[in-house]
């Protein structure tokens, strides 16, 4: 059966994932591909609730937080990701289950357990690119863009724990990219990483 390919961009807040997603989309379309570019939290009901919670600064119990991210993902996979993969398309998502592994793991859940549960329930990415930046650089970028602060997630001490989990993950599909370089350099490396996958999709 024909199947597309799933790529996840992962990283700390301010690592540049969202900008890179746009750049990759443009470059892929210029090559005649029709990738699905998407993100989590989604713009659906669960995703909107998560963003409202994050902005409020009121941290929900981690079990609730986990449930919301997983419900959001279940809907995202069923409604968008799986159908696009079934059509043979390349799907690139800005965050996927490794965000749950690292962020909810950093709230005290067993991240290895979160990883195996995620792999059992959701399609594993063919490639997960971790855009690695020092916590302070990411936070400085978030502040510089004047975005709405998300006090529930964007604290240095917490993000250090998140980064530590990202550093510990070992999976054949998981690749680290130094994202403290210029946007152009990071784009070039991501493009190279996608080269093999690009050849296999429509
Ligand atoms: P983010 O990518 O910053 O979304 P946006 O910039 O569109 O608001 O994601 C919001 C926050 O949610 C981010 O700090 C990471 C966190 N998050 C988790 O804790 N677990 C998850 O599973 C996901 C997908 C995100």
């Amino acid at each position: 059966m024909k199947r597309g390919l799933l790529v996840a961009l992962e990283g700390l807040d301010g690592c540049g994932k969202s900008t890179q997603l746009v750049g990759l989309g443009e470059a892929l379309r210029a090559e005649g591909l029709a990738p699905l570019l998407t993100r989590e939290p989604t713009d659906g009901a669960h995703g909107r609730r998560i963003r409202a919670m994050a902005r409020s600064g009121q941290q929900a119990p981690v079990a609730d937080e986990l449930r919301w991210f997983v419900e959001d993902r279940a809907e995202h996979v069923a409604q968008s990701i799986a159908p696009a993969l079934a059509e043979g398309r390349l799907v690139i998502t800005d965050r996927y289950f490794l965000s749950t592994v690292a962020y909810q793991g950093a709230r005290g859940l067993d991240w290895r357990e979160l990883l195996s549960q995620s792999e059992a329930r959701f399609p594993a990415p063919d490639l997960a690119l971790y855009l690695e930046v020092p916590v302070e650089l990411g936070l400085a970028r978030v502040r510089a863009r004047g975005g709405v602060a998300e006090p529930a997630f964007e604290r240095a001490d917490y993000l250090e724990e998140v980064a530590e989990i990202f550093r510990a993950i070992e999976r054949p599909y998981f690749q680290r990219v130094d994202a403290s370089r210029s946007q152009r350099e990071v784009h070039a490396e991501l493009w190279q990483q996608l080269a093999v996958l690009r050849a296999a999709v429509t």
Side-chain angles (χ1 to χ4, degrees):
M1 201 180 80
K2 180 168 93 161
R3 185 195 180 274
L5 290 165
L6 177 58
V7 176
L9 301 184
E10 297 283 3
L12 301 181
D13 307 85
C15 70
K17 295 176 282 83
S18 311
T19 307
Q20 292 296 338
L21 184 77
V22 173
L24 289 174
E26 283 168 4
L28 289 163
R29 280 191 294 270
E31 294 219 325
L33 297 181
L36 172 67
L37 307 182
T38 184
R39 67 168 181 168
E40 294 184 6
T42 68
D43 296 318
H46 299 297
R48 287 199 304 271
R49 185 171 54 177
I50 290 165
R51 286 205 176 78
M53 186 270 299
R55 277 193 302 269
S56 76
Q58 297 207 330
Q59 193 130 47
V62 64
D64 292 344
E65 199 178 280
L66 174 65
R67 198 175 61 248
W68 297 342
F69 283 115
V70 171
E71 281 171 4
D72 188 41
R73 182 161 305 124
E75 199 174 279
H76 189 209
V77 168
Q79 294 184 355
S80 305
I81 295 179
L85 291 177
E87 287 172 6
R89 292 171 70 189
L90 174 61
V91 177
I92 309 184
T93 179
D94 176 347
R95 296 198 186 280
Y96 192 48
F97 63 59
L98 295 178
S99 282
T100 301
V101 170
Y103 281 80
Q104 278 59 62
R107 288 207 56 199
L109 299 181
D110 178 342
W111 68 263
R112 290 183 177 80
E113 187 60 32
L114 291 173
L115 180 53
S116 51
Q117 285 168 0
S118 298
E119 287 176 332
R121 177 153 182 195
F122 300 113
D126 297 283
L127 183 62
L129 295 163
Y130 174 52
L131 277 61
E132 190 160 29
V133 286
V135 167
E136 280 310 327
L137 176 61
L139 281 174
R141 286 179 181 170
V142 169
R143 285 193 290 264
R145 72 181 173 223
V148 188
E150 287 172 346
F153 297 113
E154 295 175 357
R155 293 193 331 264
D157 54 343
Y158 173 61
L159 292 177
E160 291 290 354
E161 307 260 339
V162 173
E164 196 168 317
I165 296 174
F166 272 127
R167 276 195 293 271
I169 293 170
E170 285 180 30
R171 281 295 186 271
Y173 57 75
F174 186 63
Q175 301 285 340
R176 291 174 183 76
V177 172
D178 173 5
S180 60
R181 296 169 294 169
S182 72
Q183 259 181 43
R184 208 165 48 85
E185 287 171 301
V186 176
H187 173 83
E189 179 165 352
L190 296 179
W191 189 247
Q192 213 171 7
Q193 295 261 7
L194 285 180
V196 183
L197 296 190
R198 277 193 334 258
V201 286
T202 47

